[in-house]
Amino acid sequence: MAAHAIETATRPASSSTDVLALVGRIAIAVIFILAGISKITDPAGTIGYIASVGLPFPTLGLVGAILVEVVGSIALIVGYRTRAVALLLAVFSVVTALIFHNQLGDQMQFLNFFKNIAIAGGLLNVAALGGGRLSLDARK
């Protein structure tokens, strides 16, 4: 391990860093909670949208998306298995961008594609740095 990595690993985080890590996890999770609730409240619309892009088993896709978005976001907020959950949500965001927002000539699809990529980038930072001291992971 490099000297900087050892120093970073052993240096206690400041309370502001802990709060920022928690607020960051919540801010990223909100988009997934809202998307999951949207799917729960309009399952037929979501199934139709999934089917419209040619994916098989759209009902299974709906259930999977709801689980990833709702359960994943709750786990991210409380900091449970934060690195793994953040990585899962990052992959989900990229896959969603590639499948559902790939018409980059359409300005809204272009923006949604890169919104998903930006969210994935933030989640990769969470995966790299962990949940911080204000997380269930820190209680080990």
Side-chain angles (χ1 to χ4, degrees):
M1 204 185 279
H4 175 71
I6 292 171
E7 175 188 332
T8 302
T10 59
R11 181 181 53 206
S14 70
S15 60
S16 63
T17 300
D18 297 330
V19 171
L20 287 173
L22 173 60
V23 170
R25 292 194 325 267
I26 293 168
I28 291 174
V30 166
I31 192 89
F32 292 102
I33 290 173
L34 293 174
I37 290 169
S38 172
K39 289 171 180 65
I40 291 167
T41 60
D42 184 18
T46 304
I47 289 169
Y49 186 52
I50 293 169
S52 76
V53 297
L55 290 179
F57 313 111
T59 302
L60 186 59
L62 168 68
V63 172
I66 290 170
L67 286 173
V68 168
E69 291 174 339
V70 174
V71 175
S73 60
I74 291 168
L76 189 66
I77 289 170
V78 299
Y80 177 73
R81 298 188 182 240
T82 308
R83 292 175 191 263
V85 169
L87 190 57
L88 171 69
L89 289 169
V91 169
F92 180 81
S93 295
V94 171
V95 169
T96 301
L98 293 170
I99 293 172
F100 294 101
H101 305 300
N102 57 21
Q103 302 300 315
L104 300 180
D106 176 336
Q107 184 177 10
M108 287 307 299
Q109 292 301 317
F110 181 87
L111 291 172
N112 282 322
F113 180 90
F114 284 103
K115 170 199 55 103
N116 280 34
I117 299 304
I119 291 168
L123 287 161
L124 290 175
N125 273 290
V126 174
L129 301 173
R133 291 192 300 177
L134 298 178
S135 69
L136 290 179
D137 292 342
R139 298 182 60 157
K140 294 179 182 176

